């Protein structure tokens, strides 16, 4: 996935993809806690058939891992650029991690 940062979002993305099942670790920064970000992310991930998790981090960011078909992961990454209605995403840090065969998406602590 190739993205061009816009004035609202600085997106760092490192990718090596194989066209099958992939897993990404994402740190969403900005106003992403207290706005339903994790719950909306879970709904979006479930709609796209993705596994993984979302959790708040002490620094105010939200950490996610998303796993599934490359096209669905790409759609999720695109959704995460803005997040839910009241979120203000200022940056996404995206990196590859090994797929583990996870099919369910959870909100964790």
């Amino acid at each position: 996935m190739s993205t061009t940062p816009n004035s609202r979002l600085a997106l760092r993305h490192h990718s090596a993809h194989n066209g099958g099942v992939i897993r990404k670790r994402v740190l969403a920064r900005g106003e992403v806690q207290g706005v339903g970000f994790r719950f909306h992310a879970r709904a979006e991930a479930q709609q796209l058939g993705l596994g993984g998790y979302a959790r708040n981090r002490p620094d105010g960011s939200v950490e996610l891992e998303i796993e599934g078909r490359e096209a669905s992961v790409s759609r999720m990454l695109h959704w995460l650029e803005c997040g839910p209605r009241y979120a203000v995403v200022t940056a996404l840090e995206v990196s590859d991690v090994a797929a583990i065969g996870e099919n369910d998406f959870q909100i964790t602590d």
Side-chain angles (χ1 to χ4, degrees):
M1 177 178 140
S2 175
T3 59
T4 304
N6 62 36
S7 61
R8 185 168 169 253
L9 175 69
L11 174 64
R12 289 185 281 168
H13 182 178
H14 311 285
S15 180
H17 38 75
N18 62 14
V21 173
I22 62 172
R23 188 174 183 98
K24 301 286 185 182
R25 181 174 182 266
V26 181
L27 287 179
R29 299 191 184 279
E31 294 177 31
V32 294
Q33 289 189 13
V35 293
F37 195 95
R38 295 172 299 153
F39 297 95
H40 287 283
R42 178 178 61 189
E44 189 71 17
Q46 289 172 334
Q47 184 176 16
L48 292 170
L50 298 172
Y53 68 84
R55 67 177 169 208
N56 285 340
R57 292 172 43 105
D59 67 0
S61 66
V62 173
E63 176 185 347
L64 307 97
E65 287 196 10
I66 53 176
E67 179 173 341
R69 291 277 179 203
E70 186 175 354
S72 294
V73 170
S74 292
R75 283 189 210 96
M76 184 70 179
L77 291 173
H78 180 72
W79 182 87
L80 289 169
E81 289 178 0
C82 292
R85 181 177 185 177
Y86 295 108
V88 178
V89 179
T90 57
L92 290 181
E93 297 173 24
V94 180
S95 57
D96 294 326
V97 292
I100 60 173
E102 192 169 23
N103 296 316
D104 192 27
F105 196 91
Q106 301 290 322
I107 295 172
T108 63
D109 294 327

